[in-house]
């Protein structure tokens, strides 16, 4: 039985196991979900990889309180290269459960896809790893290491803080960071560029308390109106990000992303325009982009005829390679202070940040993964950027400068990760598991 047939046979375990894992509500935020859920997920992952040859699988607590699953699986030759497998078991909160067509923590099949929070990001990648390892059996020609973390989605930096103090435990020649995906179902890709991320919370105060809008409106400053005016300066009429001090002219040199495909992937409504004066690839992979994540202000339901004395917003700024996250954060904070009207009091603080990343793609691991993807999919591998951030990549690159980092996985655009109705195409799990298995089987020969 060849590898493709073995992958197909191993896929029989994927749906029930992914259903078990999706049912664990492993949101790494104790304000929303009990921490015992993350502990259950960590134990599930530990047991599964222990059964896949990582006999020393164990838990390590990180600085933010999350637990990472670690393990090693020696190959037949101690001098063979070492490959580190990465994924994460924590997930985003479900957001508005009323917007889900299926229960968010119950894996449900519809139209050939499997729906559920974490089905793709990143529990589908955990099952991808397990399927590849089970199909290979004893035919792994490299030494393996494993880390599956538990707080990636919260951005609290547990594993990033842990790695520099435990360098020998994760040292490897190639690192498969399996938390991205292909250009589309059936179209293999690796991600070579990540935008960094800055979260800023801005508070605006104008009055000591609410005031009757009839008695005081027109002269009394309105904190919510001031905040809205400030936020309106973050983009121009075309949708370009206009934070003072940030370059908004960079272009993407790699694979294009057609506007028609992007509109379909993003669910853009009829008649609604895409943003920016660059290509889609420029706008999502090469240029800064600011998003308003949330507002603290009176809700429509129950609001009174009163002037709002204070209001806040949470902003997310994506920072492309070529910019420093710290510089971008300072530019955004300066901008907010500079555009505040009427002398309102402004407090803007950086909540979290992560640097952009660009991979070195010239080594033997990239040759091996390109060959594996070509064989698995029958199509050549392309190189993509990603607008999302994986701060761990910078930590790994700084800690292990000689290692090749390969970002790949099952999270193609239709997965809608981080949104309601997240899903995964099981064909992607199978094809990416085959890709990984071929890589682990042949990388040692290509590297020698």
């Amino acid at each position: 039985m060849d590898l493709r047939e073995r992958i197909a046979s191993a896929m029989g375990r994927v749906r029930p196991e992914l259903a078990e894992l999706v049912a664990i509500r492993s949101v790494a935020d104790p304000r929303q979900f009990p921490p015992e859920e993350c502990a259950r997920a960590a134990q599930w992952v530990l047991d599964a990889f222990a059964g896949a040859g990582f006999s020393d699988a164990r838990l390590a607590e990180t600085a933010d309180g999350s637990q990472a699953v670690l393990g090693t699986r020696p190959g037949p030759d101690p001098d063979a290269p070492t490959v580190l497998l990465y994924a994460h078991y924590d997930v985003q909160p479900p957001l508005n459960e009323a917007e889900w067509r299926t229960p968010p923590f119950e894996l449900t099949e519809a139209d050939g896809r499997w729906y559920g929070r974490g089905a793709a990001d990143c529990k589908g990648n955990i099952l991808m790893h397990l399927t590849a390892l089970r199909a290979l059996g004893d035919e792994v020609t490299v030494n393996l290491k494993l880390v599956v973390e538990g707080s990636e989605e919260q951005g609290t930096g547990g594993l990033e803080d842990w790695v520099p103090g435990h360098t020998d435990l994760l040292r490897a020649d190639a690192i498969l960071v399996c938390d991205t995906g292909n250009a589309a179902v059936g179209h293999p890709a690796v991600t070579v560029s990540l935008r960094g991320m800055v979260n800023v919370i801005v508070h605006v105060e104008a009055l000591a308390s609410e005031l009757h809008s009839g008695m005081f409106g027109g002269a009394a400053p309105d904190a919510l109106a001031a905040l809205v005016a400030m936020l309106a300066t973050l983009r121009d009429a075309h949708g370009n990000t206009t934070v003072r001090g940030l370059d908004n002219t960079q272009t993407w040199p790699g694979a294009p992303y057609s506007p028609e495909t992007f509109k379909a992937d993003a669910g853009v409504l009829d008649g609604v325009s895409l943003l920016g004066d660059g290509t889609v690839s420029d706008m999502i992979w090469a240029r800064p982009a600011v998003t308003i994540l949330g507002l603290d202000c009176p809700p429509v339901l129950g609001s009174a005829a009163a002037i709002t004395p204070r209001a806040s917003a949470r902003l997310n700024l994506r920072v492309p390679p070529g910019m420093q996250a710290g510089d971008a954060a300072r530019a955004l904070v300066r901008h907010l202070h500079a555009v505040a009207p009427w002398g309102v009091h402004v407090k803007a603080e950086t909540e979290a940040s992560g640097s952009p990343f660009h991979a070195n793609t010239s080594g033997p691991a990239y040759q091996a993964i390109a060959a594996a993807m070509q064989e698995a999919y029958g199509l050549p591998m392309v190189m993509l950027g990603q607008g999302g951030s994986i701060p761990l990549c910078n930590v790994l690159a700084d800690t292990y400068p000689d290692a090749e980092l390969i970002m790949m996985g099952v999270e193609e655009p239709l997965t809608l990760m981080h949104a309601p109705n997240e899903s995964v195409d099981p064909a992607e799990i199978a094809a990416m598991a085959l890709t990984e298995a071929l890589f682990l089987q042949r990388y040692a020969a290509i590297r020698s």
Side-chain angles (χ1 to χ4, degrees):
M1 187 182 297
D2 68 12
L3 261 182
R4 192 179 297 272
E5 293 171 324
R6 279 184 266 167
I7 291 288
S9 176
M11 283 294 293
R13 297 178 61 175
V14 171
R15 182 173 177 182
E17 289 187 333
L18 186 57
E20 290 177 11
L21 198 49
V22 166
I24 302 174
R25 303 175 178 229
S26 51
V27 178
D29 185 347
R31 299 169 298 179
Q32 302 183 69
F33 290 87
E36 291 79 10
E37 292 290 280
C38 280
R40 285 179 57 211
Q43 189 62 50
W44 192 101
V45 171
L46 186 154
D47 293 341
F49 280 96
F54 290 84
S55 58
D56 66 346
R58 59 204 185 278
L59 298 176
E61 185 165 335
T62 69
D64 63 6
S66 65
Q67 293 181 311
V69 181
L70 306 175
T72 59
R73 178 176 161 177
D77 179 3
D79 295 325
T82 297
V83 177
L84 172 64
L85 307 180
Y86 168 88
H88 63 85
Y89 61 79
D90 66 306
V91 299
Q92 285 282 327
L95 303 175
N96 184 359
E97 294 196 24
E99 295 183 9
W100 284 77
R101 294 188 293 271
T102 64
F105 293 105
E106 180 181 322
L107 194 70
T108 306
E109 183 169 356
D111 301 321
R113 297 182 70 91
W114 296 343
Y115 287 79
R117 176 56 88 218
D121 182 20
C122 183
K123 293 174 178 179
N125 288 311
I126 293 173
L127 269 298
M128 179 194 76
H129 284 317
L130 291 168
T131 303
L133 293 169
R134 290 164 179 166
L136 279 170
D138 295 330
E139 295 178 17
V140 179
T141 62
V142 296
N143 300 296
L144 291 176
K145 293 183 179 181
L146 173 74
V147 60
V148 182
E149 67 166 310
S151 64
E152 193 275 341
E153 297 291 8
Q154 301 308 311
T156 48
L159 189 60
E160 293 98 285
D161 176 80
W162 186 89
V163 168
H166 303 81
T167 55
D168 288 342
L169 292 181
L170 300 184
R171 190 179 305 279
D173 299 288
I175 303 174
L176 301 186
V177 179
C178 294
D179 192 18
T180 62
N182 290 333
V185 173
H187 293 266
V190 290
T191 298
V192 299
S193 172
L194 297 170
R195 288 192 295 194
M197 176 273 294
V198 170
N199 279 354
V200 168
I201 297 178
V202 55
H203 305 279
V204 176
E205 289 189 281
L207 299 166
S209 67
E210 287 83 358
L211 294 175
H212 192 291
S213 62
M215 295 177 64
F216 296 94
D222 180 331
L224 181 54
L227 178 60
V228 169
M230 293 162 61
L231 299 180
T233 69
L234 299 176
R235 292 182 183 270
D236 65 18
H238 300 289
N240 297 296
T241 294
T242 50
V243 175
R244 300 174 186 177
L246 297 186
D247 180 11
N248 196 38
T249 62
Q250 297 183 148
T251 58
W252 173 249
Y257 198 157
S258 79
E260 294 75 19
T261 301
F262 180 82
K263 283 185 175 183
D265 290 343
V268 179
L269 300 181
D270 289 345
V272 179
S273 300
L274 298 184
L275 303 184
D277 55 17
T279 67
V280 170
S281 300
D282 295 338
M283 300 304 297
I284 65 173
W285 298 332
R287 296 184 183 180
V290 66
T291 300
I292 302 167
L293 300 182
L295 292 170
D296 283 342
C297 60
V300 172
L301 182 63
S303 56
I307 302 170
T308 302
R310 61 191 65 87
S312 301
R314 187 172 184 235
L315 308 178
N316 174 260
L317 176 64
R318 296 292 171 166
V319 184
M323 297 183 188
Q324 297 298 316
D327 293 341
R330 287 186 287 273
L332 178 54
V333 168
R334 285 195 304 268
H335 179 101
L336 291 167
H337 280 279
V339 299
W342 315 324
V344 294
H345 295 184
V346 175
K347 181 181 179 182
E349 54 193 5
T350 300
E351 177 190 42
S353 67
S355 297
F357 174 79
H358 198 282
N360 179 355
T361 62
S362 61
Y366 271 86
Q367 297 175 36
I369 202 67
M373 285 189 169
Q374 174 74 53
E375 182 169 343
Y377 283 88
L379 293 170
M381 177 187 84
V382 300
M383 296 184 183
L384 303 176
Q386 188 183 102
S389 304
I390 307 177
L392 179 64
C393 287
N394 297 86
V395 175
L396 294 173
D398 292 342
T399 306
Y400 311 112
D402 296 328
E404 293 184 72
L405 270 68
I406 298 174
M407 293 179 282
M408 65 184 208
V410 303
E411 302 164 19
E412 40 77 31
L414 296 182
T415 59
L416 295 180
M417 55 185 180
H418 294 200
N421 303 305
E422 179 181 350
S423 68
V424 68
D425 189 320
E428 285 292 276
I429 297 179
M432 287 304 300
L434 177 57
T435 295
E436 181 174 339
L438 290 166
F439 175 84
L440 296 178
Q441 190 181 58
R442 301 173 185 178
Y443 169 51
I446 291 176
R447 191 174 182 273
S448 62

